[in-house]
Amino acid sequence: MSRFARLAIAAAIATYVLIVVGGLVRATDSGLACPDWPGCFAFNDWIPAADANVWIEHTHRLIAAIAVGPMVGVIGLVTVFTRRRQDRPLLLAAVVAGVLVIVQAVLGRQVVFEGLARELVTAHLAMALTVLAMTILIADRAAHGPLPGRRSALPTTLIGVTGLAVFAQMLLGSWVTGHNAGLAYEDFPLMNGALIPDMVIVEQVIQFAHRAVAFGLVALVLWMAWAVRQATAEPRPRRLAAAAAVLIVVQIGLGAGNVWSQLSAVFVVPHLAVGAALFATVFWLYLVGLRLPARRRQPAHGEAPAEHEFALPAKHSLGDTIRAYVALTKPRIIELLLVTTVPTMVLAARGFPSPWLMAAVVVGGTMAAGGANAINQFVDRDIDPVMRRTRKRPLPRQAVTPRQALVFGIVLSAASFVFLTLAVNLLSALLALSAIAFYVFVYTIWLKRSSPQNIVIGGAAGSVPVLVAWAAVTGEVGIPALVLFAIIFYWTPPHFWALALRYKTDYETARVPMMPVVRGEAETARQIVLYSLLLVAVSLLLYPAGRMGLIYLATAVVLGVAFVWYALRVLRDAYDGAAAIGLFRFSIGYLTLLFVAVGADSLVRLNLG
């Protein structure tokens, strides 16, 4: 790497540090601690008195004066007076950065003399972020040369829109601070206890807009990260996209900390720092995308060519289309999830809860699970056609287009959150939303194709409905709910690995590292027995934890013995698909009957009491 490239990287780092220190200035109300400019209390006062606020503001000025300004200036001079000026985008970036640094200095002066006018402060931040972007661009071109000018493998338009959205959100955050609107609502994530609050004063409107954009930005960044992961196997763009996803989640947490801590600098400064890091990461990812040429990929056997991915589906009747959308939700899986929901609510209420509440949880849960399943089929559209078990799903049959499936899944997921929030409570809605996010991003996009532990970890998503049901009744997550969660969690591996044994060849063809493919049938059978024993042990924990009666205890023991017997059959005949399918089918009845026993035991003890 050339010295010029290193200088540009150093300038980008210095600019980032300057932005973070600027956030510290605002968080500590140090903006007017130095009432003069460029000195602190006089024109030539470069070593002010020992006061914390004074030195915070003075440090901000020093970084600009002795680090960012000189480095950007040298970059501009080197670019203009060497052959680098032939690289027009590099020359433009160097000139823009140099001019903005000068304008920044003048604007900094006006910020002080105008008493921290919010318009000037916001413009000050906008210019700083632009300088950060320009220095990153200069470093990229200095290190790698001009762009290749070919079609990118990455969704650069989506990445660019995401970067602009992050930029706009940071300026909106500055506007919130300028209006002292940070505590216009003193609760989070609700606002005065409501999802859509009354907005009487302008500060409340600004704060509501900032939060609404923030949650929209979460979806946009996660979508971008997923799209990048789907588009390329190159490690650098994948890591940048993953970093952006992590940063936006951290950013939401820090935003909540701002409210809960009453705008403590401990949260305010990292909030700005993470926001600037997110902006820089997305911009860098955009540049990486411009350098990554698209490669034509041969479709897998049975897969539609990429250029037809969003083509119109084959003509179907209205009834066929409706059935296709229903199939996108995977109704059989939803039925199994809902079987666990109602008995959990009965246990939580120690009787029958409100019929309206049960209906709301069932409807909301169905929407959440259906939305996640539709998105899952969109992600798996490249492997579903090559697997016998999945090739008749709506997308391989071209009953709907991938775009329609994705939009349907997103809309259904969003609607489930709104519905559960309004009809049940926010905790249930957040739990359901976390299950959707975990199933889509952690299991489907990440683990399913990268680890034989995909089902073990990913099974947590299917365990969340019992938490949603418990929270709907009690407003919290109790110990019995966690035990019920653990029952489903430990039930999932033997249930699904039994199916995977039967369809091992399918997973090999699709290159999905399920346990039988990676570890073999014998090891999978041993793991099935291990998890079956854990399942039985955990199911017995509910007896003391949930204060269950003999009906549940007897049912759990009998069903547990039968489950282990089926698992041992698989261990004895690991290569026999009939034994595996036998366990798979019994596991469905096991979970159904166990939860029926939960509800029945609760009702019987209620009547006896």
Side-chain angles (χ1 to χ4, degrees), residues 263-569:
L263 300 181
S264 167
V266 173
F267 289 98
V268 173
V269 178
H271 192 56
L272 177 66
V274 171
L278 176 61
F279 173 73
T281 300
V282 175
F283 186 75
W284 187 8
L285 176 60
Y286 179 77
L287 297 177
V288 170
L290 294 178
R291 294 187 179 280
L292 191 65
R295 295 179 180 177
R296 295 187 63 85
R297 180 177 65 87
Q298 294 298 322
H301 176 68
E303 181 185 357
E307 56 265 32
H308 300 304
E309 180 169 310
F310 296 114
L312 291 174
K315 289 185 178 180
H316 296 280
S317 68
L318 178 61
D320 290 337
T321 302
I322 293 174
R323 283 190 289 272
Y325 277 104
V326 172
L328 282 174
T329 66
K330 300 183 183 178
R332 291 184 179 179
I333 295 178
I334 292 177
E335 289 173 7
L336 198 58
L337 294 177
L338 297 181
V339 160
T340 65
T341 298
V342 173
T344 300
M345 296 181 72
V346 171
L347 176 61
R350 297 295 173 180
F352 268 115
S354 162
W356 292 109
L357 181 61
M358 286 195 294
V361 172
V362 168
V363 171
T366 300
M367 294 166 65
N373 288 331
I375 298 172
N376 166 268
Q377 291 188 57
F378 170 80
V379 176
D380 285 346
R381 68 194 183 281
D382 59 330
I383 61 174
D384 279 351
V386 305
M387 299 177 65
R388 289 171 296 164
R389 188 173 64 87
T390 58
R391 63 178 50 157
K392 293 184 179 180
R393 286 177 174 176
L395 288 176
R397 292 189 293 107
Q398 297 185 18
V400 295
T401 67
R403 185 189 298 275
Q404 290 169 336
L406 177 62
V407 170
F408 176 68
I410 292 174
V411 170
L412 203 56
S413 299
S416 71
F417 177 78
V418 174
F419 179 81
L420 286 171
T421 300
L422 299 176
V424 184
N425 58 46
L426 180 62
L427 178 58
S428 293
L430 289 174
L431 287 168
L433 185 63
S434 72
I436 296 171
F438 195 90
Y439 182 67
V440 171
F441 293 103
V442 177
Y443 170 67
T444 304
I445 294 177
W446 176 28
L447 290 173
K448 183 172 183 177
R449 308 192 194 196
S450 62
S451 170
Q453 297 298 315
N454 45 23
I455 286 300
V456 177
I457 302 172
S463 308
V464 172
V466 294
L467 303 183
V468 174
W470 193 276
V473 174
T474 66
E476 60 183 12
V477 176
I479 297 297
L482 295 176
V483 176
L484 292 170
F485 176 96
I487 289 173
I488 302 174
F489 182 82
Y490 285 107
W491 168 87
T492 302
H495 165 75
F496 203 92
W497 282 337
L499 186 67
L501 281 171
R502 175 67 177 80
Y503 290 99
K504 177 189 174 185
T505 304
D506 277 2
Y507 289 114
E508 284 179 328
T509 303
R511 297 181 180 180
V512 177
M514 286 296 174
M515 182 69 72
V517 176
V518 177
R519 304 284 177 81
E521 289 91 337
E523 177 59 25
T524 302
R526 285 192 288 271
Q527 292 289 327
I528 285 175
V529 172
L530 172 62
Y531 275 90
S532 298
L533 293 172
L534 290 172
L535 168 63
V536 174
V538 171
S539 70
L540 296 177
L541 284 178
L542 188 63
Y543 178 69
R547 291 179 292 141
M548 308 302 296
L550 292 178
I551 293 177
Y552 173 80
L553 181 61
T555 304
V557 170
V558 172
L559 290 175
V561 170
F563 201 107
V564 172
W565 182 79
Y566 273 97
L568 290 173
R569 279 186 60 197

Side-chain angles (χ1 to χ4, degrees), residues 15 93 127-138 279-280 283 287:
T15 303
M127 290 185 185
L129 291 172
T130 305
V131 172
L132 176 61
M134 292 300 99
T135 52
I136 293 173
L137 172 60
I138 293 167
F279 173 73
F283 186 75
L287 297 177

Side-chain angles (χ1 to χ4, degrees), residues 18-274:
L18 183 64
I19 292 171
V20 174
V21 175
L24 180 62
V25 170
R26 298 197 74 178
T28 56
D29 292 324
S30 302
L32 296 178
C34 289
D36 296 315
W37 192 94
C40 198
F41 288 94
F43 184 86
N44 59 351
D45 184 6
W46 293 102
I47 304 179
D51 179 84
N53 286 358
V54 169
W55 269 100
I56 289 172
E57 166 63 14
H58 197 60
T59 300
H60 180 63
R61 297 187 190 184
L62 288 177
I63 294 172
I66 67 177
V68 176
M71 283 192 285
V72 171
V74 171
I75 288 171
L77 292 174
V78 171
T79 303
V80 170
F81 292 105
T82 65
R83 287 184 299 176
R84 295 184 185 276
R85 66 178 177 273
Q86 296 174 3
D87 184 346
R88 296 298 181 183
L90 176 61
L91 176 62
L92 179 62
V95 170
V96 169
V99 170
L100 286 182
V101 165
I102 296 172
V103 174
Q104 276 286 73
V106 176
L107 191 61
R109 174 183 181 277
Q110 289 304 115
V111 166
V112 173
F113 292 157
E114 295 290 336
L116 304 181
R118 50 181 169 259
E119 297 85 356
L120 297 180
V121 172
T122 301
H124 199 55
L125 176 61
M127 290 185 185
L129 291 172
T130 305
V131 172
L132 176 61
M134 292 300 99
T135 52
I136 293 173
L137 172 60
I138 293 167
D140 175 78
R141 295 186 78 89
H144 303 291
L147 295 172
R150 291 171 290 181
R151 182 173 175 268
S152 174
L154 300 187
T156 50
T157 300
L158 175 60
I159 297 170
V161 169
T162 303
L164 291 174
V166 175
F167 182 84
Q169 176 69 340
M170 292 195 67
L171 299 189
L172 182 56
S174 177
W175 201 244
V176 168
T177 303
H179 276 272
N180 294 319
L183 294 176
Y185 298 107
E186 297 189 8
D187 50 346
F188 184 94
L190 296 181
M191 290 159 280
N192 286 347
L195 188 62
I196 302 178
D198 294 330
M199 289 172 274
V200 180
I201 56 177
V202 67
E203 287 80 4
Q204 291 177 330
V205 175
I206 295 171
Q207 177 60 232
F208 175 79
H210 185 60
R211 294 197 192 183
V213 173
F215 285 107
L217 192 59
V218 171
L220 186 60
V221 171
L222 293 179
W223 179 20
M224 179 203 71
W226 169 82
V228 169
R229 186 174 180 85
Q230 288 292 106
T232 182
E234 292 291 328
R236 186 163 65 153
R238 281 188 159 205
R239 288 168 185 164
L240 288 172
V246 171
L247 287 172
I248 191 63
V249 173
V250 172
Q251 185 73 329
I252 292 297
L254 291 171
N258 281 345
V259 177
W260 296 336
S261 69
Q262 299 287 299
L263 300 181
S264 167
V266 173
F267 289 98
V268 173
V269 178
H271 192 56
L272 177 66
V274 171

